[in-house]
Amino acid sequence: MMAPTQALFREDAYLKTADAQVVALNDRGGLILNRTIFYATSGGQPGDTGFLECADGSRIVIAGTITGETKDEIIHLPAPDQPMPKPGEVVKLAIDWERRFKLMRMHTACHLLTVVCPFPITGAAVNEEDSRVDFDLPDAGVTKEDVTASLQELIAADHPVFTRWITDDELAAKPTLVKSKNVRPPAGTGRIRLVCIGESASVDSQPCGGTHVARTGEIGEIHVGKIEKKGRENRRFRLRFGPLPVA
Ligand SMILES: [Zn+2]
């Protein structure tokens, strides 16, 4: 059993570069490193892209990052026809920061949306330009204008965003922390990562393994583009960057 990859992005989402050592190449051409700043697709947030640079200056373009059999296993997927490093080689890592920062802003905005719309979540997908959160909500009863205004208030307040680790028992004692209807945070690992917003988590806290901005003000202008009906009991809210378009 290999030691798991150290997930540097979990403690510092703002790392744009780092050094790492190649641990292994898996049988499908994926690269496993001893540590990484590349977030692997999970929890509705897509994995990072970027490149690795070898000692001789050659670059390996990384087209995506995924998890393996366990969430601790982080696999970097090279684009086709890339030079391959050898196990043991030290490489420089660089993520596509512009894309990642958009994902961090969007992802944090999705948390704020669950504050404005405190309903059970049935699905979510974060993307660079457009994200969605699905709620178990038979009747929206809210307009995109109202929700956008509430979101902008939380963004303008520039609340701090921070993480805190709690035990399985602490989570079990506070079931309301879990907002997802179908997905339970992984239990049995002994600790759960909580993402908190506001001084002393006054705005929100929920289990999440993704990457977020450090203050809500960094999200910038964002709006609810659409509230769609998805079946009898589901409403899909779409978030987009920029001001609410004038109808
Ligand atoms: Zn999150």
Side-chain angles (χ1 to χ4, degrees):
M1 181 69 193
M2 265 186 297
T5 304
Q6 195 191 344
L8 301 173
F9 54 81
R10 217 153 264 154
E11 299 305 327
D12 184 358
Y14 287 81
L15 287 173
K16 302 170 184 74
T17 59
D19 289 333
Q21 194 171 26
V22 177
V23 172
L25 277 67
N26 73 11
D27 48 9
R28 279 160 294 170
L31 285 165
I32 295 149
L33 307 172
N34 67 333
R35 50 195 229 139
T36 191
I37 51 174
F38 284 74
Y39 180 78
T41 302
S42 111
Q45 182 182 331
D48 282 319
T49 56
F51 64 84
L52 313 184
E53 194 174 280
C54 301
D56 66 3
S58 61
R59 283 187 179 183
I60 302 146
V61 174
I62 300 299
T65 312
I66 57 170
T67 55
E69 278 169 41
T70 68
K71 284 209 172 186
D72 286 337
E73 210 177 317
I74 299 174
I75 302 167
H76 307 77
L77 301 173
D81 307 320
Q82 297 297 302
M84 282 307 244
K86 291 182 182 61
E89 213 174 318
V90 172
V91 289
K92 280 191 164 39
L93 321 180
I95 54 168
D96 179 347
W97 174 250
E98 207 176 308
R99 173 174 179 269
R100 157 72 94 67
F101 189 53
K102 278 188 185 172
L103 293 170
M104 283 162 56
R105 291 165 61 209
M106 266 296 186
H107 188 141
T108 312
C110 289
H111 283 241
L112 293 183
L113 180 60
T114 70
V115 173
V116 175
C117 301
F119 310 109
I121 300 163
T122 54
V126 177
N127 269 301
E128 295 159 67
E129 307 298 340
D130 181 294
S131 297
R132 65 169 174 83
V133 180
D134 298 340
F135 294 101
D136 180 349
L137 183 60
D139 179 13
V142 288
T143 65
K144 56 185 185 181
E145 287 79 9
D146 292 342
V147 177
T148 297
S150 302
L151 282 176
Q152 281 305 149
E153 250 172 61
L154 288 167
I155 291 166
D158 201 24
H159 293 293
V161 182
F162 58 97
T163 58
R164 187 163 87 76
W165 292 89
I166 60 167
T167 63
D168 288 345
D169 291 343
E170 284 176 86
L171 184 70
K174 277 186 108 177
T176 52
L177 287 174
V178 180
K179 299 184 176 192
S180 178
K181 196 180 170 190
N182 314 316
V183 187
R184 298 276 122 189
T189 57
R191 54 181 217 154
I192 310 263
R193 184 182 190 245
L194 273 192
V195 173
C196 308
I197 303 178
E199 295 296 339
S200 314
S202 55
V203 175
D204 186 46
S205 50
Q206 56 182 296
C208 185
T211 60
H212 311 83
V213 291
R215 303 199 68 95
T216 60
E218 292 179 68
I219 296 168
E221 210 156 22
I222 206 156
H223 67 277
V224 177
K226 244 187 214 170
I227 302 174
E228 297 166 275
K229 193 173 163 148
K230 286 277 162 193
R232 202 156 52 92
E233 295 191 341
N234 275 284
R235 291 293 176 282
R236 171 168 293 175
F237 287 59
R238 287 192 178 276
L239 288 179
R240 286 172 194 150
F241 286 124
L244 190 69
V246 183

